[in-house]
Amino acid sequence: MPPEIVMNHATFRKSLAFEGFARACAEAGMARVSVWGDEVRAVGAGRARALLADLGLGVFGFNRAGPLLADAAGRGAAFDAARREVDLAAGLGADHVLVFPGGLPTGRRDMAAARDATADAVLALLDHARACGVRLALEPLHPMLAGDRTTLCTLAEANALCARAGSGLGLVIDTYHVWWDPELGAQIAAAGAAGRILGLHVNDWLRPTTHMLTDRGMMGDGIIDLRGIFDATRAAGYGGPVEVEIFSERWWAEPPARVMALALDRCTAIFGAGGGA
Ligand code: ZN
């Protein structure tokens, strides 16, 4: 059976505001969308909720809670802001909230201490998320972003923290961030066996890559074995959607209808996917 396809609003960040994005996904036959808190706030949480209800769309992923790491002086404010994001996600009925650890606090060089602080902050936020009935998702980011945007770069680290935390914490596998990992297959299998794979983000790694954040490729244009990773998640028991998340100046500059159609075509070719659920 073809997988459900979900679009992440980041794929249309500069080409569609929240309402246009939601309408485009509904018109393409999708059942759910993945959203960003800043885009939701731009239209207002009540308006966003009503719009999604009108269009019959659910919220899959909610981006994001964090950054969590901050100087001692800013830690309380950072945690409060993350809690508000969880509240907003719960109000939208999101399936899961992506955790964004953030990089090393200014002036710090101790990655081990930052990893420990990230784990503590995630566990504290998890108490709040459990009370709200929302799952948190760890998303390891590519090591080129270590220290700058996250301290958590591998599925092994995410699996270990999930095992320590227990219920309510899972992980999202983003092909862009983990395709290089020698332990990829084993860690996907471990995550699946524990029932903690909450999502699969797809895109591609272009060769060469010209920007760390905004030069992700359309599926099929790069060198990631997307079908192989998809098959590994399915074999591990993940039955959820394939989520298209492409941060790309190139694709943001294209007509959104063209990007939507091309992304769906690529998903069909690679994953055997249809348009909707
Ligand atoms: Zn992602």
Side-chain angles (χ1 to χ4, degrees), residues 139 174 177 201 216 245:
E139 182 181 25
D174 187 323
H177 296 301
H201 294 180
R216 292 199 198 184
E245 186 188 50

Side-chain angles (χ1 to χ4, degrees), residues 18-20 22-23 39-55 88 92:
F18 186 86
E19 179 166 350
R23 290 191 185 285
E39 301 283 356
V40 170
R41 287 198 171 84
V43 292
R47 168 76 188 132
R49 203 162 38 234
L51 178 66
L52 294 171
D54 281 352
L55 295 171
L88 183 57
L92 292 168

Side-chain angles (χ1 to χ4, degrees), residues 16 40 43 108 122 155 187-188 202 214 222 229 236 242 272:
L16 290 172
V40 170
V43 292
R108 302 293 293 275
V122 168
L155 283 169
Q187 295 298 331
I188 288 174
V202 299
T214 60
I229 295 174
V242 167

Side-chain angles (χ1 to χ4, degrees), residues 8 63 98 139 141 172 174 177 201 203 216 245 247:
N8 185 302
N63 299 269
L98 282 297
E139 182 181 25
L141 303 184
V172 161
D174 187 323
H177 296 301
H201 294 180
N203 36 57
R216 292 199 198 184
E245 186 188 50
F247 293 82

Side-chain angles (χ1 to χ4, degrees), residues 68-70 75 101-105 108 110-125 150-152 157 160-161 164:
L68 300 172
L69 296 190
R75 206 164 293 153
L104 283 168
R108 302 293 293 275
D110 189 342
M111 276 297 278
R115 282 192 195 98
D116 289 345
T118 297
D120 290 346
V122 168
L123 295 173
L125 188 63
T150 190
T151 59
L152 200 153
E157 293 170 272
L161 185 49
R164 184 177 152 197

Side-chain angles (χ1 to χ4, degrees), residues 73-203:
R75 206 164 293 153
F79 189 72
D80 287 345
R83 279 205 320 198
R84 285 195 296 275
E85 294 303 306
V86 171
D87 293 341
L88 183 57
L92 292 168
D95 180 81
H96 57 270
V97 178
L98 282 297
V99 174
F100 181 70
L104 283 168
T106 306
R108 302 293 293 275
R109 290 182 174 78
D110 189 342
M111 276 297 278
R115 282 192 195 98
D116 289 345
T118 297
D120 290 346
V122 168
L123 295 173
L125 188 63
L126 183 58
D127 285 338
H128 181 68
R130 282 178 179 141
C132 296
V134 183
R135 297 185 291 185
L136 297 183
L138 301 174
E139 182 181 25
L141 303 184
H142 193 281
M144 71 177 167
L145 301 170
D148 180 41
R149 303 177 77 78
T150 190
T151 59
L152 200 153
C153 298
T154 66
L155 283 169
E157 293 170 272
N159 267 320
L161 185 49
C162 286
R164 184 177 152 197
S167 68
L169 183 65
L171 57 83
V172 161
I173 296 165
D174 187 323
T175 55
Y176 194 76
H177 296 301
V178 301
W179 65 275
W180 57 273
D181 187 346
E183 291 186 34
L184 182 60
Q187 295 298 331
I188 288 174
R196 63 172 74 111
I197 302 177
L198 302 185
L200 174 64
H201 294 180
V202 299
N203 36 57

